[in-house]
DNA sequence: AAGCTATATAACCATAGCGACATGTACACG
DNA sequence: CGTGTACATGTCGCTATGGTTATATAGCTT
């Protein structure tokens, strides 16, 4: 099994998800937009499927792929504790700038 | 150059960041806690450094590594549009459950 | 049933990533 | 100034991954 992080490491797979964010799409549609071979796209879709990031619906020969955002919560959860950190750093920077004297030439080069 | 996504695909690197979230640490400390060889850890640290996810401070022979959360904003930014999606889906589920009649036997098997 | 369409799978190749071991480098200390 | 400590870097082997080409599968269509 592959973690959500590894699945998203692939730029093409992120592109696919971005495309599916707009709407459900058949494979051929993705192939066109990604300028990638059909088997390559199918392979990525398989990985995404096994990670639960997409669902398929069969309609005659067409397979319509749809986004499933739920596994992205894992990302969200991991990221959460870091969010406060960059906020803190920004605050620190602001405080720093607030206490700076207004002589930009001073510390040059 | 390596994208933040690829950098975070490695479980060990996420572990390293998680450790650094608590406090600045020298390499040896990370080696102990990760049960990984020192060169392996150094290699991961190099990747993290080049991605701007950590900073080093030299103190005699020790190198103290510190977290830099800022590049994680890229993740955050990518994730943002998806966040509403899983919220929407939850809402849809809730609405669905609200309109369900209370006869759990009906749709069995 | 034959043939076309849409997609999946198989087989193969090239490359990259991660690990371990060995070695280089920088600093402290006696 | 040689030795130990703390870390980085080089090299190598293995495995995994992503791409391509060829082929299998499934469903219309006539």
């Amino acid at each position: 099994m592959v973690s959500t992080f590894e699945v998203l490491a692939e730029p093409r797979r992120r592109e696919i998800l971005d495309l599916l964010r707009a709407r459900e799409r058949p494979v051929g549609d993705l192939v066109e937009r990604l300028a990638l071979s059909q088997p390559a796209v199918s392979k990525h879709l398989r990985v995404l499927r096994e990670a639960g990031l997409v669902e398929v619906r069969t309609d005659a020969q067409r397979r319509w792929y749809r986004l499933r955002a739920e596994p992205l919560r894992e990302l969200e959860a991991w990221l959460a504790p870091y969010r406060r950190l960059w906020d803190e750093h920004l605050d620190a920077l602001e405080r720093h700038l607030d206490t700076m004297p207004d002589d930009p030439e001073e510390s040059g080069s």
Side-chain angles (χ1 to χ4, degrees), chain A:
Chain A
M1 248 225 44
V2 187
S3 89
T4 308
F5 285 92
E6 295 170 51
V7 173
L8 297 178
E10 248 295 317
R12 310 304 195 120
R13 288 197 284 261
R14 291 198 303 273
E15 276 187 68
I16 291 177
L17 293 184
D18 288 339
L19 285 169
L20 294 181
R21 197 146 46 79
R23 67 182 110 92
E24 196 180 32
R25 295 178 192 272
V27 179
D29 189 56
L30 297 170
V31 170
E32 278 182 27
R33 290 168 199 272
L34 295 174
L36 198 59
S37 76
Q38 175 264 311
V41 172
S42 280
K43 261 176 105 175
H44 285 307
L45 286 171
R46 180 194 177 103
V47 175
L48 289 167
R49 222 186 313 133
E50 289 174 348
L53 282 161
V54 299
E55 283 175 346
V56 210
R57 177 174 67 87
T58 299
D59 168 43
Q61 307 102 325
R62 282 206 181 86
R63 311 285 178 93
W64 293 80
Y65 279 83
R66 178 211 315 213
L67 180 65
R68 274 196 65 229
E70 195 260 354
L72 294 177
R73 285 168 176 276
E74 183 191 348
L75 248 194
E76 169 70 11
W78 183 84
L79 198 56
Y82 291 91
R83 202 177 343 259
R84 9 184 353 272
L85 291 182
W86 71 61
D87 287 348
E88 279 170 16
H89 288 167
L90 268 199
D91 291 350
L93 176 60
E94 280 166 14
R95 276 196 303 277
H96 178 63
L97 292 178
D98 284 349
T99 51
M100 287 281 280
D102 291 78
D103 47 0
E105 309 297 333
E106 196 69 7
S107 54
S109 183

